[in-house]
Amino acid sequence: MFKKVLIANRGEVAVRITNTLQQMGIVAVAVHSEPDRWGLHVRRADEAYALEGETAADTYLRINRIIEVAKSCGADAIHPGYGFLSENAAFAQACIDAGIVFIGPTPDVIRKMGDKMIAKTTLADAGVPVVPGYWDNGNADIATLEREAERIGYPVLIKAAAGGGGKGMRVARTPDELRSGVDVARRESVSAFGDDRVFLEKYVTSPRHVEFQIFGDSTGRAVHMFERECSIQRRHQKIIEESPSPALSPELREKMAAAAVRTAEAIGYTGAGTVEFILDESGSFYFLEVNTRLQVEHPITEMRLQLDLVRLQVEVAAGMPLTFEQNDLEPAGHAIECRIYAEDAARGFLPSVGEIRQFDAPAGANVRLDSGVFAGDHVTVYYDPMLAKLAVWGQTRDEALARMAWALRRFVVTGVTTNIAFLASVIRHPQFQKGEYDTHFLDAFDLEDGEQIPDEVLVAAAMLAGRTKATGHGEKAVTTSASPWRNAGRWRGV
Amino acid sequence: MAHKTMLKHASRPEPICVSTETIGDRSSREYRVTVGDRTLEAEIEIAPDGSGRMRLAGKVVRFFGSRRGDDIQVWYGGRVYDFKIADTRQSAGAVKRSAMLPELTAPMPGTILRILVGDGDELVARQPLIIMESMKMEMTISAPAAGRVKEITCAEGELVEMGALLVRLQVSEDDDAGDEEAGENEAQNA
């Protein structure tokens, strides 16, 4: 087993990996940017080394510098976490070249799955269902596109080959819409990317995002660890995940799980990965992509299976085979995760920066917190504003929902604006409670607002206002008028 | 005599007038709190970390409070309430004029993506002036009112600190278009 592992990441995931490494008796090494030098992941690590710089590009994305640190401190392996370099084939290769184990799949698998077209073709060949579409070289004439759209079946999605972020994307429900949509998509794509190639894909009207955790070892064996339902998204980013999915019948689960395992076997997957699917109302599902890393929402899988996925990742990377069979995995109960972001739901989920004045998280049986921050910490503009992940488990979905509602109501974060109250209103929503939702759920979500300020709040505010020199916690406050929070207030209307 | 403070909250058009006074001797934790035209009696204790307990109308509840200069935050029942102490010396008119300050600054550190106007350009209220990027988000900085661009003090591609001066404006004096929405930074997905 490894003696020392470097974690090439920051925030809650670096803390979470540190915990497992230390529990395994492995020395955990942190790397950090300048703004993160007092961060929680640095405090928890056994050793910490600076990556000089502030931005992600100058620090957590600098392959050579990270390898250099790993070599000089004598790390046997590097865990990339998620994000940053976790799905970078060049980084995985650089680790191998330096004689350091990369905790993840092979560079070849990362490269293949990172290219959406190669991933789709590889998996279609392996018998995994992919979204029906028309891809050729992207220069097909309109007559060909019309014929292909008929074959795929309307509505279809017109996608720019070079596209991204919704640019050059159009939905067509009729041949007329197809003709005008192709023109618009081509024009948009030329102006945005200098490329007029377009493709067609079946448009799934009420999609759910359901993914399966997979795990492979170096003997070529792969298992699935059941699903996570991740349809609650804002800006195409998940904020609430649950397992099991309220949308899967046992038969459908079995079919999707088999496709996930087929995916893992087809590409010779090692370590932890996730196969993402789109599921439509009729129960048809299509392969979306493989995430070749630990997923943000892995805690809900761990809670249902009583497994530590990071420990398994480390063991598999060290060459150990999985010690269990598919049939040994029996998930129990229901788990839900909420991602706690420093952002303002009332202002288009605008990130909020500044000092975290107070941070008091809920605790209790079947409540798990993966946090990367503490009271007095600062949220900066440099990195993703996710502060923590709150996960709960219950015997039933109803029990888990009630526990999550309690936990969110009990979760205190002040200083930066967070999405906690927003998450609570989603959890309370009747449609969510019934499990009837798709990836568009938050698009039409009405914020609860305009309510009365409770007397308790007015009294507390009056007490704080009445102190010329604010007491207690506020004392330091009066002198820190230059804190970013103060200025961030101007954001709300200059 | 209790000291009166005006508190502003986003949900209220007018500031709320509050004051507190101790009931009994100075060591008492019981207070008489006036909120607008109502008077409430409460027993309150706030610990050094800002966590507090309050007995109000026979019920004991938990809250968190913090203050940074004029900014007050109260956490209660799963929500955070933001207040700002209003400067009582300033009339409502003065507040409105200061909202039309002809200097626009960066609301967050970030990169200047695009500058949409040039020196001397005539502007209408809410006209987008500068697009910035910060934390993977694009935001548009718009004119608070009609007027003219006096001077652009940043360049495309420049990395600016929070509060950095971006543009000086000359606001038309006859124009009263400085409505509340104008000049607000609108963020959108990058």
Side-chain angles (χ1 to χ4, degrees):
Chain A
M1 184 45 69
F2 308 123
K3 295 267 184 297
K4 191 186 262 196
V5 172
L6 181 143
I7 302 154
N9 217 301
R10 66 178 301 281
E12 68 84 19
V13 73
V15 174
R16 188 256 168 276
I17 296 163
T18 300
N19 289 345
T20 290
L21 293 175
Q22 290 173 342
Q23 286 163 18
M24 294 175 78
I26 298 170
V27 176
V29 180
V31 287
H32 62 88
S33 66
E34 273 303 302
D36 278 346
R37 65 192 180 282
W38 309 119
L40 192 62
H41 81 283
V42 176
R43 295 179 175 208
R44 293 284 183 81
D46 298 303
E47 293 173 23
Y49 299 96
L51 303 169
E52 300 80 7
E54 294 180 331
T55 63
D58 283 345
T59 55
Y60 302 105
L61 292 171
R62 265 179 65 198
I63 295 178
N64 294 343
R65 176 73 185 124
I66 290 168
I67 300 273
E68 199 181 291
V69 172
K71 281 207 286 201
S72 69
C73 77
D76 312 301
I78 293 182
H79 195 306
Y82 56 72
F84 295 125
L85 296 170
S86 61
E87 292 178 285
N88 186 313
F91 180 61
Q93 189 60 53
C95 290
I96 295 167
D97 294 347
I100 296 166
V101 175
F102 175 79
I103 302 177
T106 61
D108 186 49
V109 166
I110 298 174
R111 199 174 299 116
K112 278 185 184 152
M113 294 301 109
D115 184 313
K116 289 203 176 187
M117 285 320 302
I118 296 180
K120 243 174 213 172
T121 345
T122 310
L123 295 174
D125 290 347
V128 176
V130 298
V131 180
Y134 177 65
W135 296 285
D136 85 334
N137 58 10
N139 296 317
D141 57 34
I142 192 69
T144 312
L145 291 176
E146 272 183 55
R147 201 168 54 242
E148 290 298 326
E150 281 311 325
R151 179 186 61 83
I152 296 163
Y154 285 100
V156 294
L157 192 62
I158 305 156
K159 271 177 146 175
K167 279 177 186 144
M169 224 196 276
R170 278 287 176 288
V171 179
R173 289 179 175 77
T174 61
D176 274 350
E177 285 184 15
L178 181 79
R179 279 188 293 274
S180 62
V182 166
D183 280 349
V184 174
R186 284 213 155 113
R187 258 202 319 276
E188 273 184 13
S189 182
V190 166
S191 75
F193 314 108
D195 181 327
D196 75 345
R197 293 175 304 145
V198 293
F199 300 124
L200 298 182
E201 216 166 64
K202 179 162 186 61
Y203 180 68
V204 178
T205 41
S206 181
R208 296 181 80 122
H209 176 119
V210 178
E211 60 184 31
F212 276 73
Q213 177 72 48
I214 52 168
F215 227 103
D217 66 18
S218 49
T219 69
R221 213 157 58 81
V223 296
H224 75 85
M225 293 178 176
F226 299 87
E227 81 276 16
R228 293 181 291 255
E229 160 80 61
C230 309
S231 300
I232 301 295
Q233 306 182 354
R234 57 107 183 83
R235 299 191 335 222
H236 303 290
Q237 216 174 15
K238 306 158 189 169
I239 56 169
I240 299 178
E241 302 95 354
E242 63 177 316
S243 181
S245 164
L248 300 197
S249 63
E251 297 74 35
L252 183 54
R253 177 170 298 115
E254 211 168 294
K255 265 164 64 184
M256 292 178 79
V261 173
R262 205 147 60 233
T263 303
E265 286 169 349
I267 56 181
Y269 201 87
T270 47
T274 294
V275 186
E276 296 190 334
F277 295 106
I278 286 185
L279 174 68
D280 75 12
E281 289 164 307
S282 71
S284 298
F285 62 92
Y286 309 105
F287 167 78
L288 200 58
E289 60 179 341
V290 178
N291 295 130
T292 53
R293 54 169 160 82
L294 186 70
Q295 202 86 328
V296 177
E297 57 274 21
H298 74 276
I300 56 175
T301 300
E302 294 186 326
M303 290 178 105
R304 292 188 70 215
L305 289 169
Q306 295 292 306
L307 286 174
D308 181 339
L309 295 193
V310 173
R311 173 186 279 265
L312 290 175
Q313 280 188 300
V314 173
E315 288 173 352
V316 165
M320 294 163 64
L322 292 173
T323 55
F324 49 84
E325 307 283 330
Q326 183 67 60
N327 289 338
D328 297 329
L329 297 177
E330 280 179 37
H334 199 98
I336 307 175
E337 178 187 89
C338 282
R339 301 190 189 185
I340 312 298
Y341 276 94
E343 66 181 18
D344 190 347
R347 299 219 153 232
F349 304 103
L350 190 67
S352 170
V353 297
E355 185 203 355
I356 296 170
R357 296 187 197 172
Q358 287 143 337
F359 189 89
D360 190 55
N366 300 319
V367 176
R368 168 174 169 173
L369 184 80
D370 287 59
S371 167
V373 297
F374 51 91
D377 202 357
H378 285 262
V379 182
T380 70
V381 295
Y382 299 108
Y383 320 105
D384 185 85
M386 191 174 82
L387 305 179
K389 301 180 313 204
L390 177 64
V392 300
W393 182 90
Q395 292 281 357
T396 62
R397 186 169 187 267
D398 282 348
E399 186 189 315
L401 285 170
R403 183 162 291 129
M404 181 57 88
W406 167 83
L408 289 167
R409 196 179 159 77
R410 171 71 189 64
F411 204 149
V412 182
V413 181
T414 66
V416 291
T417 305
T418 73
N419 64 342
I420 293 173
F422 176 75
L423 291 165
S425 62
V426 175
I427 295 286
R428 272 198 304 270
H429 195 280
Q431 292 289 110
F432 186 84
Q433 290 269 331
K434 280 189 272 183
E436 292 166 3
Y437 58 86
D438 61 28
T439 56
H440 300 305
F441 184 72
L442 293 186
D443 300 347
F445 194 80
D446 284 326
L447 289 171
E448 299 168 359
D449 59 2
E451 67 183 61
Q452 290 289 312
I453 306 171
D455 282 346
E456 288 83 353
V457 172
L458 291 167
V459 167
M463 288 300 298
L464 292 159
R467 294 171 176 182
T468 38
K469 192 178 179 198
T471 58
H473 193 65
E475 226 161 272
K476 182 173 107 203
V478 179
T479 58
T480 56
S481 57
S483 89
W485 170 249
R486 202 179 138 83
N487 291 319
R490 304 175 62 171
W491 182 266
R492 308 189 159 180
V494 170
Chain B
M1 186 61 209
H3 177 71
K4 284 196 171 104
T5 314
M6 302 299 281
L7 285 181
K8 286 193 284 188
H9 185 268
S11 72
R12 301 275 185 99
E14 297 296 324
I16 311 155
C17 180
V18 296
S19 67
T20 55
E21 62 183 321
T22 314
I23 301 171
D25 63 54
R26 291 189 57 178
S27 64
S28 166
R29 290 189 193 126
E30 287 184 56
Y31 299 87
R32 188 169 292 121
V33 181
T34 312
V35 177
D37 53 7
R38 294 184 306 141
T39 301
L40 305 162
E41 284 184 10
E43 191 177 345
I44 299 163
E45 190 178 60
I46 304 181
D49 68 350
S51 64
R53 273 173 302 172
M54 165 187 321
R55 187 173 51 80
L56 181 71
K59 201 173 78 175
V60 177
V61 299
R62 175 172 175 267
F63 69 94
F64 279 74
S66 69
R67 178 169 163 190
R68 294 287 184 275
D70 290 339
D71 285 327
I72 288 173
Q73 281 197 336
V74 177
W75 178 93
Y76 174 69
R79 302 188 85 91
V80 177
Y81 299 82
D82 287 284
F83 296 92
K84 191 147 181 82
I85 298 176
D87 188 342
T88 44
R89 285 162 303 183
Q90 211 170 22
S91 71
V95 170
K96 185 147 191 182
R97 263 199 303 284
S98 72
M100 288 161 59
L101 255 186
E103 289 190 348
L104 296 182
T105 55
M108 283 185 135
T111 312
I112 304 294
L113 285 187
R114 289 180 64 198
I115 297 173
L116 306 166
V117 290
D119 290 355
D121 282 6
E122 293 288 335
L123 303 173
V124 295
R126 307 203 57 171
Q127 181 172 340
L129 307 177
I130 287 169
I131 299 174
M132 276 188 72
E133 190 187 62
S134 187
M135 291 175 110
K136 298 189 240 166
M137 302 274 292
E138 272 183 27
M139 66 192 133
T140 306
I141 291 157
S142 314
R148 218 158 57 82
V149 177
K150 204 167 159 191
E151 189 189 3
I152 306 265
T153 55
C154 60
E156 284 186 7
E158 190 184 339
L159 197 68
V160 295
E161 294 292 320
M162 177 161 52
L165 180 64
L166 302 180
V167 55
R168 283 200 178 87
L169 302 175
Q170 237 165 7
V171 178
S172 311
E173 283 177 15
D174 55 329
D175 195 292
D176 201 19
D179 61 284
E180 269 124 62
E181 292 293 305
E184 210 169 80
N185 300 304
E186 285 158 22
Q188 61 182 51
N189 207 352

